[in-house]
Amino acid sequence: MVTRLAVLSVPFVVTLLFIGPLPVSAFGSESGDQTFLPPTWAVQHDVACKVPTGKVDDASCDVDAVEQANSDQLHSILHELMNTTYFRLISISLEGKCKYWDKSISEAKCTAQTPVNPFAAAAANIPPPPQEKSQCSLDTGGTKVPAKEEEPELEEKDPYEDVDLDDDDDDEDDDFDDDDEDEDESPNFNPLKYFSRYTKTTDKVDMEISSREQATLELEPCDNASLPDFWLDMCRNIPTNSSDYVNLMLNPERWTGYNGSHVWNAIYHENCFEKMGDLEEMCYEERVLYRLLSGMHASINIHISLNYFPPSKRHNRSDWAPNVQRFMDQYGTRPERIKNLHFAFLVLLRSLRKAAPYLYNYPFSLGDGVEDRRTQRMVQRLLDSHLMTSCGQVFEAFDESLMFREEEGGATTQARLKAQWKGVFHNISTVMDCISCQKCKLHGKIQLLGMGTALKILLLPEQLIAASLTRPELVALFNTLAKFSHAIRSVPILAQQFLQFQRSYRTEILSEQLRSSENSAAPPPPSVSSLPPPSASASFSSSSSFFSPSNTVKVPVDVALDSAMAALAAAGMAGRIPEAEEDVLVDGLLARDEDLLLLARHYAPNSPDRFLRHAARRARTGAIGRGPRSVSAPPAPPAPVVDAVVIGGGLAGLSAALTMLDRGGRVVLLEKQGHLGGNSAWASSGVNAVDVNNTASGDSVDAFTADTVKGAGRGDNPLIPVLTSGSVDALAWLRGRLSEHLSLDLVGQMGGHSFPRTHRPSSGLAGSAMIFAIQKQLDKYAQEREPRLQLMKWTKATKLLTDESGAVVGVKWEVVGPPSAVKEGRPMASGEVYASNVLIATGGYASDYTEDSLLKEHRPDLLKYATTNNKGTTGDGHKLALAVGAKGVDLDDVQVHPTGFFNPRDPDNKVKTLCAEILRGEGGVLLDSKGHRFANELGTRDYVTGRMIEADPETLKFAQIMNAEAAKKAETHIGLYTKKELIRKFETLEELAAWDYWDGKVSAGTLERAFAKYDADAKTGRDAYNKTFFHNVPVSNAAPYYAGIVTPVIHYCMGGIAISPDGSVLRDDGSAIPGLHAAGEVIGGLHGKNRLGGNALSEALVFGRAIGNKLEIGKERARQPPSPPTPPPTGGGAAETGAGGSGGLKQISKAEMATHKTEESCWVSINDKVYDFTNFLDEHPAGAEAILRFGGQDGTEIFEAIHTPEMLEDFTP
């Protein structure tokens, strides 16, 4: 392990502390609103600067991904967030005394003399390469501070009290209009004189420390590096004990003229690890700290360059103006420094991702209800999982687990490195008190505190994060993140401003040379390197006569191409042009496309924005990028129409589609039924997920993984960790992205789970509520002016389209619904749609009893059982994938659920209603026909089914009974099943004993003995069937009782298509089929031989969203998608509209209602309003029969038992 903190601190000096006065002279017209420094000819480049590209060192992400995420979403959210009251006010101590040198150095003055070399001060302070190991004069142990008696007595002194800030004592309101001196262009110009009239550079802040805060400061440090709380005191040397607050909006980061070279020296020279070395020789931990400080350096310097020249009437500046020359001198040839800014940004984003579960519900409150809610909503918008996953690459690019690993030296070496590393950070924090410029100190401390907070989050165990963060630390973290974001966004802006001025000089010179040679024969184009430097009086005007319409002189091709490429590069860096268009234009310029050459010669040198506009317009027509004209050139192959075709409208397909749409993608969704939801809409128990915000539950991802592995019964599986760890994000997405229409406010424990983790709504059933919430969001996309979502109902995918390499490139489809599903006037019964990717999310094959069914092929023994699946679950996706070479996995693993309701009124129906497992989870007891218990009700599904077959192989009918308390916990389900007459209510034990199911063979005494034994076992914590969780006991004397008859039913197909952990469909040889992906029940191998209850919805969400996040979006599209068939209306019209134009609803008699109860006309009354559901019958997820049963009558009770009121928003009464 080698180290060199000297190298580590190099960028930090210029950064934080601002090296000192830079040369100040202005260029530009008197009427301009910005001031620039005239570039010397030696630094006039063909392009503005070396653009940072490629991988961000020490992170798994590239520069383009960071800038894209920042430009698309992060910057705007962070900018708005910093304007909230909570985040613009911070308490931070600025009164700490410098401990490391005397006051003559600590109170370094701001000099009025400008050095010739703007970075002479910086260069002078860069030490020579290290020779040998040196002693550190500052403590690096992280536990000690200088003894009080050793601290020098330092007086507080205004660092500018000896500097004449105003050269005109008689005119304090001069407003910089001194006609005797051109302040900006004077070689001895002192910018500090401006501050006396506009703003002080070292505003004092009253920092009072309360006794309680002082006690906090005196807490014992965390010295033991082997303990998990070692990092709790990461920010202890940046005290936030002030009783006053600083408004950051009133203290912007800009140039102050402060010379902080002495602080640089302290940080650079006086901190070291035990070994020295170059950056390449540093260990990972040292590089992390170096890059963080370097990134902080870049951020501060960029902000200073953005706000360098103060307002001036003389120079017509009403606001602060940038110094682009300063920016270029620092970063024009040092892109690695900008990349370190990207690295620091990634580290902070990773900390935000790790703390998201805690921060999501953090009370960002200052007492103003409206403002507090606005702040929390914006924080939640930033933390919403769909944003974190759409920008997932940047939120996960830094891996803190690589830090402080045990190597050769073992735990001792690791502990020593931790102590040194934290000690260095503490020392740098302490040196901040040696900055005598208050505003410099303010911004330096805040950003160092923000980075320290991020490091604390990353290095602490998750369970300690919630208790470790303070309000000032959170304010500093978010402000630092916003600073880095703004700096990244400003880099291309400053580079473009510099480039524009460089181009103006070159244009003027070329104009003069070309004018002088107009009458010469074939004048050679001048070389850029041979052109003389511009005169000091060169104009910045863009209206050179050389480019006037009347001028006939042509711009040389090389100059035109150079200007065009520079304009394109600047636009790409600023994110002002889509990546696909940028690619086309770059290729066209390199190939010297005739169209682009013509545009470049007439527009690019003087009107780059117009050049880009016209070039992009041509590119979108497909006319650019093919090089010189060629009659024989073959036409380019058609580009994909959309980013993805999703086959299947269940939870997996819908969550993937919404995720892609949120990222800006275009999606075609095929659903062969007339409604969305599939089997997901029937799922009632809930969705399994680890709630990291509920620390009291004791649940964890590891526990969830262990339960799933145990239930699967086949050992470790690479898909299981994807499911269990992804459940955390899935739950956050449901609570955040879908919060408008979904509330998962209840949680229960299902069979096979060691903790309660099954989340469900208190209103409505879990599956249908989730489907409804997603569909409402999809409706918004479908209603866009240029919709990116095409929903094709009644449309079945019949074939996957592939290219010569075997990659899937699209889908062939056909309409399978009623005639109304085909667009009137232009029938389209079949067609093709091309896409970059195809996602199969068609569910299982548990409802296919046909001759060629997968069920008959692989599990003919199960054909005798009924199913809980809807009629559309026929293995379509499996057959499509297998036809193009996909591998099938565990196709004989089909789950039989132990509790499907047996309805005595309809005994032969092959489709049974599932008795949700949550009923057993809340305390439901299973009894056989003799009134005896026979199993652990919370055992896995295969176990309970097996026990049923042993207990009563002939009838396979059992009683499930719940007491009053258990029924109350599952009242939504109980209400639904009672309305469907699948569960009966018994007021007493005697009534329960008289139930027809027992056929007179069971007495009240038998039941009482069974319940009493159950209650006794609950007290001991274990029964004869190894049951250890007994919810809502006692069962004895706990009437009323709720009971129903249950029987095993085919419920779920664990087998399916083989996929990789990222959802790519695999062949038999393990290779991925390009362009083909799968999610939901269609995949195989995840659940082994038994799926735990609640994992179906989790699987659909986790893998659907993972694929939605991984697929590439935004590719060029040269074709329009085929017109989809028009589905029938999703909702019925009014049975009767208001009469007489009054807008009221017509009164409908019971007699008239009773006539509308058929498939031709079906009306249902809900909450005293009549709805015409005729056109919705075929689209209803539960089938037409469920509605027809209440046709012509009131259906309020059954509707409210199943649905939320929002379900009726699509229907007009």
Side-chain angles (χ1 to χ4, degrees), residues 613-772:
R613 179 167 64 87
H614 292 302
R617 185 168 54 83
R618 293 287 292 166
R620 286 191 289 270
T621 67
I624 295 292
R626 295 193 295 269
R629 297 287 180 266
S630 174
V631 176
S632 61
V641 174
V642 292
D643 296 303
V645 173
V646 177
I647 308 174
L651 186 59
L654 295 183
S655 59
L658 181 56
T659 300
M660 282 185 279
L661 290 166
D662 283 345
R663 296 175 56 218
R666 291 183 61 185
V667 179
V668 171
L669 194 151
L670 308 180
E671 170 54 58
K672 74 175 182 180
Q673 300 189 85
H675 58 82
L676 298 177
N679 281 328
S680 303
W682 291 16
S684 59
S685 292
V687 56
N688 292 334
V690 177
D691 186 355
V692 293
N693 290 319
N694 182 13
T695 56
S697 72
D699 197 11
S700 67
V701 170
D702 289 342
F704 189 11
T705 301
D707 290 343
T708 305
V709 170
K710 181 180 179 181
R714 287 184 178 154
D716 292 338
N717 182 321
L719 299 181
I720 291 177
V722 178
L723 171 73
T724 56
S725 61
S727 72
V728 177
D729 174 81
L731 181 61
W733 186 74
L734 291 171
R735 287 175 169 173
R737 181 67 177 90
L738 304 183
S739 59
E740 183 179 358
H741 297 286
L742 179 67
S743 175
L744 298 177
D745 47 356
L746 299 178
V747 62
Q749 182 174 353
M750 299 178 67
H753 295 273
S754 55
F755 295 94
R757 62 170 70 102
T758 307
H759 303 268
R760 68 186 193 275
S762 57
S763 175
L765 303 182
S768 62
M770 293 178 196
I771 295 297
F772 175 76

Side-chain angles (χ1 to χ4, degrees), residues 727-976:
S727 72
V728 177
D729 174 81
L731 181 61
W733 186 74
L734 291 171
R735 287 175 169 173
R737 181 67 177 90
L738 304 183
S739 59
E740 183 179 358
H741 297 286
L742 179 67
S743 175
L744 298 177
D745 47 356
L746 299 178
V747 62
Q749 182 174 353
M750 299 178 67
H753 295 273
S754 55
F755 295 94
R757 62 170 70 102
T758 307
H759 303 268
R760 68 186 193 275
S762 57
S763 175
L765 303 182
S768 62
M770 293 178 196
I771 295 297
F772 175 76
I774 296 179
Q775 188 170 355
K776 298 301 289 185
Q777 300 305 317
L778 293 178
D779 287 345
K780 296 178 182 179
Y781 281 114
Q783 295 166 9
E784 289 179 334
R785 186 171 184 178
E786 296 182 2
R788 291 180 286 114
L789 170 66
Q790 297 183 46
L791 177 58
M792 301 169 67
K793 296 180 182 178
W794 297 117
T795 306
K796 179 180 179 179
T798 58
K799 182 180 180 181
L800 297 177
L801 303 175
T802 59
D803 61 15
E804 294 179 355
S805 70
V808 175
V809 296
V811 175
K812 188 173 183 179
W813 53 266
E814 67 178 15
V815 174
V816 294
S820 59
V822 180
K823 189 172 183 180
E824 206 173 278
R826 188 169 65 111
M828 185 181 293
S830 63
E832 297 176 348
V833 57
Y834 290 87
S836 303
N837 298 277
V838 173
L839 168 61
I840 297 178
T842 51
Y845 45 91
S847 191
D848 189 0
Y849 293 95
T850 61
E851 287 299 317
D852 64 344
S853 73
L854 293 173
L855 194 62
K856 184 174 182 179
E857 179 182 354
H858 296 280
R859 288 301 301 271
D861 59 306
L862 298 181
L863 293 175
K864 63 183 178 181
Y865 290 104
T867 181
T868 61
N869 286 227
N870 69 48
K871 60 183 179 182
T873 315
T874 53
D876 299 346
H878 298 75
K879 298 171 185 177
L880 290 172
L882 292 170
V884 296
K887 178 183 179 181
V889 177
D890 301 336
L891 291 173
D892 58 342
D893 281 329
V894 179
Q895 185 177 69
V896 176
H897 195 289
T899 56
F901 278 113
F902 175 82
N903 187 349
R905 294 181 294 102
D906 191 12
D908 298 324
N909 195 327
K910 269 288 192 181
V911 178
K912 304 293 187 187
T913 298
L914 180 70
C915 177
E917 199 158 9
I918 197 66
L919 269 65
R920 284 182 284 132
E922 294 293 357
V925 177
L926 290 174
L927 301 178
D928 63 17
S929 59
K930 298 177 182 179
H932 301 149
R933 286 184 66 231
F934 57 89
N936 172 5
E937 291 84 357
L938 293 183
T940 59
R941 291 173 177 178
D942 58 341
Y943 158 80
V944 177
T945 300
R947 295 292 297 169
M948 285 179 163
I949 294 174
E950 291 179 13
D952 190 353
E954 296 298 326
T955 68
L956 287 177
K957 297 180 182 66
F958 303 87
Q960 178 163 302
I961 302 171
M962 302 182 74
N963 64 7
E965 186 63 25
K968 183 179 180 181
K969 292 294 180 63
E971 59 182 349
T972 298
H973 294 77
I974 294 297
L976 167 63

Side-chain angles (χ1 to χ4, degrees), residues 994-1010:
W995 183 23
D996 292 343
Y997 167 72
W998 309 116
D999 194 24
K1001 299 177 182 178
V1002 173
S1003 66
T1006 299
L1007 296 179
E1008 177 57 35
R1009 284 190 293 274

Side-chain angles (χ1 to χ4, degrees), residues 1027-1137:
K1027 185 172 185 176
T1028 57
F1029 296 99
F1030 300 82
H1031 299 292
N1032 299 306
V1033 289
V1035 180
S1036 301
N1037 301 315
Y1041 294 100
Y1042 296 81
I1045 304 173
V1046 294
T1047 187
V1049 286
I1050 301 174
H1051 181 58
Y1052 192 87
C1053 300
M1054 281 83 68
I1057 303 303
I1059 64 166
S1060 64
D1062 70 351
S1064 298
V1065 174
L1066 302 178
R1067 300 186 179 99
D1068 284 327
D1069 62 3
S1071 63
I1073 300 177
L1076 187 60
H1077 317 269
E1081 189 177 353
V1082 74
I1083 70 174
L1086 169 62
H1087 304 291
K1089 62 182 182 180
N1090 180 68
R1091 177 179 66 79
L1092 296 185
N1095 273 359
L1097 294 181
S1098 303
E1099 172 190 36
L1101 276 171
V1102 170
F1103 285 91
R1105 282 189 32 76
I1107 293 171
N1109 275 310
K1110 80 161 185 173
L1111 297 186
E1112 182 181 357
I1113 63 173
K1115 286 191 175 181
E1116 180 192 8
R1117 305 175 181 92
R1119 300 173 44 184
Q1120 292 298 318
S1123 300
T1126 301
T1130 57
E1136 290 290 346
T1137 58

